[in-house]
Amino acid sequence: MPNPSTQLPTQTRIRGISSMATRQVLAELVAGFEAVSGASVAIESVGGVDAAKRVQAGEAFDVVILASDAIDKLIAAGHLQPGSRVDLVRSGVAAAVREGAPVPDLGSEDAVRSAVLAAPSISYSTGPSGVALAKLFERWGISEQLVSRTVQAPPGVPVASLVARGEVALGFQQLSELLGVAGITIAGPLPPAIQIITTFSAGIPVHTAQADAVRAMLAHMTAPAAAEAKRRQGMEPA
């Protein structure tokens, strides 16, 4: 039975925008919230860079879900309410190859470096994980060697799709975006020494009329009962 404390007026409509990394987990969490609240929630998932630009341009949303640093910047710029940030999930990076291709060893930092250098082509996202990977390659001193072999996935285009089509030999992206994708084999997560963890958070726009409804939704999404859904999508509760 629905919990009366979470029930909202049946006409409640929540519109949000998020980065692609959280698309699957949000779909599951939103469905659960709709079932207990009676609200209708529509969250559009796009490239994180594009999502932030749309919020900055003044497009109307009731909730914004992006990497925590992007949420902080939108709060600082006056687009989201001060103090409204709610951390939802922590997400790590994994690597994938095309189905049927040899699976490289990713068990150590040296092994990952060797796998990157051996790959005829690599790809990573334009989001926070991609920025961190680029810095890692710089630290390893191999950035120049990779320039001609790096295929940059456009915002909103999953790295996994490039791998599945054979356009890229080795792709790096949030594990959540690799799970369940046909045509690829997940080689494994990055080892702890170089793992890249991104916290994805929600923020409430300053002009929304649905702030209370959004707070109720975020409370549902951060409740202990939501942890299983997050882990099922390759993430951890924040």
Side-chain angles (χ1 to χ4, degrees), residues 94-95 97 104-106 108-124 133-134 136-138 140-147 149-150 168-172 190-191 194:
V97 296
D105 173 20
L106 302 177
S108 68
E109 180 173 351
D110 285 344
V112 175
R113 185 177 186 276
S114 296
V116 169
L117 287 172
S121 56
I122 66 167
S123 184
Y124 48 85
L133 275 171
L136 177 65
F137 298 153
E138 284 180 18
W140 284 346
I142 62 174
S143 294
E144 289 188 13
Q145 293 172 254
L146 298 178
V147 170
R149 289 188 275 150
T150 298
V168 172
L170 183 64
F172 295 89
L190 293 179
I194 56 170

Side-chain angles (χ1 to χ4, degrees), residues 68-163:
S68 58
D69 61 339
I71 292 295
D72 288 343
K73 289 175 183 176
L74 290 171
I75 291 173
H79 299 291
L80 304 180
Q81 296 178 17
S84 69
R85 173 180 150 185
V86 174
D87 296 341
L88 297 177
V89 291
R90 298 171 71 248
S91 179
V93 171
V97 296
R98 193 178 192 186
E99 188 175 15
V103 177
D105 173 20
L106 302 177
S108 68
E109 180 173 351
D110 285 344
V112 175
R113 185 177 186 276
S114 296
V116 169
L117 287 172
S121 56
I122 66 167
S123 184
Y124 48 85
S125 79
T126 55
S129 65
V131 173
L133 275 171
K135 291 179 179 177
L136 177 65
F137 298 153
E138 284 180 18
R139 178 165 69 79
W140 284 346
I142 62 174
S143 294
E144 289 188 13
Q145 293 172 254
L146 298 178
V147 170
S148 63
R149 289 188 275 150
T150 298
V151 179
Q152 188 69 69
V157 176
V159 169
S161 66
L162 303 181
V163 176

